[in-house]
Amino acid sequence: MLIELGHFALILAFIMAAVQCVLPMVGAQKGWRGYMAAGEPAATAQFLFLAFSFAVLTWAFVTSDFSVRLVTLNSHTAKPLIYKITGVWGNHEGSMLLWCLVLAFYSALAAWFGGNLSDTLRARVLGVQGAISVAFLGFLIFTSNPFWRLEVPPLNGEDLNPLLQDPGLAFHPPFLYLGYVGLSMAFSFAVAALIEGRVDAAWGRWVRPWTLVAWVFLTIGIALGSWWAYYELGWGGFWFWDPVENASFMPWLIAAALLHSAIVVEKREALKSWTILLAILAFGFSLIGAFIVRSGVLTSVHAFANDPERGVYLLAITGVFMGGALTLYAARAASLEAKGVFSLTSRESALVANNILLAVSAFVVFVGTVWPLVAEMAFDRKLSVGAPFFDAAFTPFMVALAAIMPIGALLPWKRGKLDRVMGQLWGILALSLALGALVWVMQTGGSILAPAGAVLAAWLVLGALVDLKARAGRGDLSARLRRLRYLPRADWGKAVAHAGFGITLFGVAALTAWQVEDIRVAQEGQSFAVGPYEITLVSVEQRQVSNYQTTLARMEVTRNGNPVATLFPEKRFYPVARMPTTEAAIDNGILRDLYLVIGDPQDAGGWAVRTYIKPFANWIWAGAIIMALGGGLSLSDRRHRVAAGAAKAPRAAVPAE
C-alpha cells in the first residue's frame, strides 16, 4: 500500500507542476494577482509530494521490498545499509526521481525566498520552473516509473553495480544534481526576463546567487566524482575525459562564465544579451549531460542507462526548452540594449576575455565529446577522442585564463591603466617566474608542465593576496586590517576561489609531470624498489565478506630502512552481480600519494602489482574544495540576502475575468 501511495504522490506532484506552470504565467500576462500567487503553494505542494515519494522509494530499498522492480534490480539483502540507501539513486529511475525532487526544491526555494522579486518576474520564474518539472515528471511517470511492482517477487535482488558501492558515490550524485538542476533557476530567470523584455542591474543581482549556489554544488560534485575515480577504478588517474565527466564539466565552465558576466550586468548594465545566452546554455548543457548519461549513445563507466528510446524523450525535452528559449532570445535580443560603455583596459574587458575563454573551452570539450557520435552517424567511422586531444586543445585556454585573472581583478570599472595595475603585480610576477625556474632546476630536466604549473599557481595565489591588499587601502596596519575585516564577503570569496583554482592547476601539472609508475609481477615475500621506496609483497590471502569475496594483499613500504606504511590493496568479486572491482590502497600525504594495486595471479606464479607515486595529488581536490569555499563566502555576502534593485511596483488588485 505504501508503494502505491508513493506512486500516487508522484502523480499529484505532476498535477501541481502543471498548475505551477500555467496559472502564474497566465496571471503575469493578465495582471491577475490571484493567479500569480497560485505558483507559490503549487511549488511547495509539488516539493512535499516528491519528498514523500522519494522517502517511500528509499524505505523500499532499506527494507529490501523486492516486490518493487527497481529494488530487485539494484539491491540485495546482504548489502550494507548505506549502499541500500545510495541504491535509490544508483540507477536511471531513482536518479531521475532525485532530479525531479531537486528541481522541485529549487522551485520551492524561489517561492519561499523570492519576496524581493517583482510579482510578475517571480510568477514567470515559477512558471518556467513548473514547465521543466512537467517535462521531467512526465518522463519519469510514463517511461521510467520507479514504483513498478513485480507479480512474483524474488527471494533476493540482483545487487547494485559494485563500482557504485562506495562512499564517494553516496554523496557524488546528490551534490552533482544540486548543481546540474540548480542551473534551471538561471534558465528560468533568463526566460522570464525575455518574456518581460527587461534585463537590468536588479536582474543581475537576482540571478547571481542562484547561479552561485549551483556552481558551488557542481564544483563539489565534480571533485567528489574525480576523487572516486582516482581511488576506486584502480587506474590511478583523476580525470579521464570520459563523456559523463565532460557532461558535468561543460555546464561548470559555462556557469563560471555566467557568474562573471552577471557581475557586469549588475555593476554596469552591459553584456545583457550575452549573459542571457549563457544562462540558457548553462542549463542546456545540463540537459545534454542528462541525455548523454541515460541514452546509451556514448559509452561510459558512469552511465545510468542504455536505452535509446528513453534517450529520444530526453533529446526532445532538450530540443523543446533550448529551441524555445533560443527562439525567444532571437526575438528579444535586439531590445537588450547595453547601457554601460567601457574601454579596452577595464574590468569589463577582462571579464569579457574571461567569458570568451571559458565559453570556447566548453565548446572544445563539447566537440571532443560528441565527435565520435557525429563521425559514426555522418561518416560511418569509429573514432575515439581521448586525453591527447583534450590536453592539447583545452589546456591553452586555461593557461590564458589563469594569466589574466589577477590583472582583471585589479582593473577598475569602465576605464583603467594597465601600467598602474601591473605596478602592483610586477613583484609577484617576478616571484612566480623565480619559483618556476627553481622547480625547473630541481626536477633536473624533463617536462615544462610542472614549472609552468608552479608559475601559474603562484601567480594566482599571490595575485589574490595582492587583490585583498589593494582593497585594504593605505594607512597603518591596524587600519588596513580593520578594512579587511569589514570587506564584503564577495570580495573575500573571489580571492579564495581564485587561489583555489591556482592550487588545483599546480596539483594537475605536478601529478601529470612527475608521476612514477611501476608495473611488475611480484612473488609473495619479494621486495622491489620504486623511486625512493622499497616495497615488499608480504602475503596474499582470500577472504569472504558479507556481499563479496576479496583477494587481499599485505604490502609493506619502507624508505631508507624506515617503515612508511603497511597497505592492503584488494581485488574484489561480487558474486551476485558477477563483477570484479579493484580497490587501490593509498598512503595519502601532503606532498605525495603512494598508490598500490594488486592484480590477477600469473600462470608462472606471482601476482601482477602496479605501483604509482603521485606527487601533489591531493592538491587537486583541496583546490576544488577551496574554490567551493570561496563560492560559499560570496554567497554569504549580505548583498545577496537583501532586496535587490528597484522597489516593487505598487500592488493593485485586478479581478480575474
Side-chain angles (χ1 to χ4, degrees):
M1 181 64 180
L2 187 62
I3 300 301
E4 283 68 33
L5 287 175
H7 187 195
F8 186 56
L10 197 60
I11 296 171
L12 289 177
F14 178 75
I15 295 171
M16 288 297 101
V19 171
Q20 180 187 332
C21 171
V22 175
L23 293 187
M25 283 292 197
V26 173
Q29 187 65 30
K30 299 289 188 179
W32 298 342
R33 282 183 53 199
Y35 276 46
M36 285 190 282
E40 298 168 31
T44 300
Q46 182 198 164
F47 170 66
L48 293 176
F49 283 133
L50 279 170
F52 175 77
S53 185
F54 190 82
V56 168
L57 186 62
T58 302
W59 180 252
F61 271 84
V62 169
T63 58
S64 297
D65 185 354
F66 297 121
S67 69
V68 180
R69 178 177 177 272
L70 193 65
V71 179
T72 299
L73 295 177
N74 296 279
S75 192
H76 191 271
T77 53
K79 194 165 61 172
L81 177 61
I82 185 174
Y83 301 134
K84 289 183 179 180
I85 295 173
T86 58
V88 177
W89 55 78
N91 56 82
H92 167 70
E93 291 83 356
S95 68
M96 285 310 304
L97 180 57
L98 178 62
W99 176 291
C100 292
L101 176 63
V102 174
L103 187 61
F105 175 62
Y106 276 107
S107 294
L109 287 179
W112 299 337
F113 303 109
N116 60 332
L117 302 174
S118 66
D119 289 340
T120 55
L121 182 63
R122 179 166 57 170
R124 287 181 169 124
V125 167
L126 288 174
V128 177
Q129 284 290 113
I132 300 171
S133 290
V134 166
F136 278 98
L137 283 169
F139 172 59
L140 186 64
I141 293 170
F142 298 115
T143 74
S144 310
N145 189 351
F147 294 105
W148 278 116
R149 291 276 201 177
L150 293 175
E151 291 186 10
V152 182
L155 295 177
N156 218 326
E158 298 178 14
D159 208 0
L160 178 67
N161 184 338
L163 287 175
L164 305 181
Q165 296 186 39
D166 183 87
L169 263 291
F171 305 104
H172 165 61
F175 276 106
L176 207 59
Y177 281 15
L178 285 166
Y180 260 150
V181 182
L183 291 173
S184 66
M185 288 301 299
F187 176 85
S188 296
F189 268 95
V191 172
L194 288 172
I195 294 173
E196 291 202 349
R198 180 188 173 193
V199 178
D200 53 17
W203 181 89
R205 282 191 288 273
W206 286 328
V207 80
R208 273 188 65 205
W210 294 104
T211 307
L212 192 55
V213 167
W215 183 85
V216 167
F217 281 124
L218 201 52
T219 301
I220 297 172
I222 291 172
L224 286 173
S226 170
W227 179 56
W228 167 79
Y230 172 72
Y231 72 79
E232 174 65 23
L233 298 183
W235 301 338
F238 62 92
W239 194 261
F240 303 99
W241 295 108
D242 179 271
V244 175
E245 290 177 332
N246 296 346
S248 61
F249 193 40
M250 288 183 288
W252 184 86
L253 291 167
I254 297 296
L258 174 58
L259 279 174
H260 292 84
S261 181
I263 296 173
V264 182
V265 176
E266 177 186 349
K267 300 291 186 182
R268 301 286 299 146
E269 293 208 32
L271 302 185
K272 296 179 183 179
S273 180
W274 173 248
T275 304
I276 289 286
L277 180 60
L278 285 177
I280 294 171
L281 292 178
F283 185 57
F285 274 113
S286 294
L287 295 177
I288 291 170
F291 169 72
I292 289 174
V293 173
R294 291 169 175 81
S295 65
V297 298
L298 293 172
T299 303
S300 168
V301 69
H302 306 73
F304 278 120
N306 188 10
D307 190 341
E309 291 185 6
R310 288 191 290 197
V312 169
Y313 194 111
L314 286 170
L315 195 60
I317 292 176
T318 304
V320 167
F321 283 99
M322 289 297 293
L326 291 175
T327 300
L328 184 59
Y329 171 78
R332 294 282 198 180
S335 64
L336 301 177
E337 180 182 355
K339 295 182 180 179
V341 294
F342 51 87
S343 71
L344 185 61
T345 307
S346 64
R347 185 174 298 184
E348 293 94 328
S349 294
L351 290 171
V352 168
N354 160 290
N355 271 227
I356 292 171
L357 291 168
L358 286 168
V360 174
S361 62
F363 179 72
V364 167
V365 176
F366 175 72
V367 170
T369 303
V370 303
W371 185 249
L373 179 62
V374 173
E376 184 174 357
M377 293 176 61
F379 309 113
D380 195 26
R381 295 181 60 189
K382 295 281 188 180
L383 295 177
S384 177
V385 178
F389 165 80
F390 288 107
D391 292 344
F394 179 80
T395 303
F397 296 106
M398 291 297 101
V399 172
L401 180 65
I404 68 170
M405 282 169 65
I407 301 172
L410 288 170
L411 279 169
W413 294 103
K414 193 174 181 179
R415 186 179 296 107
K417 293 183 178 180
L418 187 59
D419 56 347
R420 180 176 297 178
V421 170
M422 288 307 299
Q424 303 175 71
L425 294 173
W426 283 123
I428 68 164
L429 178 58
L431 185 58
S432 300
L433 292 172
L435 179 61
L438 178 63
V439 171
W440 171 261
V441 171
M442 291 181 63
Q443 74 174 6
T444 62
S447 171
I448 192 65
L449 186 60
V455 171
L456 291 174
W459 173 244
L460 284 167
V461 174
L462 295 175
L465 294 176
V466 169
D467 183 25
L468 292 175
K469 178 184 175 183
R471 294 181 185 282
R474 299 182 182 275
D476 58 31
L477 181 59
S478 62
R480 297 168 74 177
L481 289 175
R482 187 167 56 253
R483 293 191 199 100
L484 280 176
R485 179 184 176 187
Y486 292 107
L487 201 65
R489 291 183 185 176
D491 292 333
W492 278 101
K494 178 186 68 174
V496 170
H498 286 189
F501 181 55
I503 291 170
T504 293
L505 280 182
F506 178 68
V508 170
L511 176 58
T512 305
W514 294 335
Q515 174 179 280
V516 176
E517 178 181 1
D518 180 86
I519 302 175
R520 65 175 66 228
V521 175
Q523 307 288 336
E524 291 186 52
Q526 179 183 351
S527 298
F528 54 93
V530 179
Y533 300 101
E534 187 81 11
I535 301 170
T536 303
L537 178 60
V538 177
S539 63
V540 181
E541 59 179 293
Q542 309 290 328
R543 290 186 182 179
Q544 178 68 47
V545 188
S546 59
N547 61 324
Y548 62 85
Q549 302 158 5
T550 180
T551 300
L552 182 70
R554 176 188 173 96
M555 304 181 76
E556 294 182 351
V557 183
T558 61
R559 181 171 183 172
N560 299 325
N562 299 315
V564 173
T566 300
L567 300 176
F568 298 90
E570 296 182 64
K571 186 84 171 182
R572 295 179 180 176
F573 179 75
Y574 291 78
V576 176
R578 303 206 58 80
M579 181 175 174
T581 66
T582 299
E583 302 293 323
I586 306 173
D587 180 43
N588 297 110
I590 296 175
L591 300 181
R592 63 96 186 104
D593 279 0
L594 188 61
Y595 188 107
L596 298 178
V597 178
I598 188 71
D600 297 321
Q602 303 300 297
D603 295 337
W607 298 83
V609 176
R610 280 181 289 151
T611 306
Y612 302 93
I613 301 173
K614 297 182 171 294
F616 299 96
N618 291 303
W619 289 43
I620 298 172
W621 302 291
I625 298 304
I626 291 171
M627 279 191 279
L629 177 62
L633 280 173
S634 295
L635 191 62
S636 67
D637 194 307
R638 182 176 178 273
R639 291 174 296 181
H640 291 319
R641 304 193 301 272
V642 176
K648 297 181 186 179
R651 297 192 175 190
V654 180
E657 296 179 358

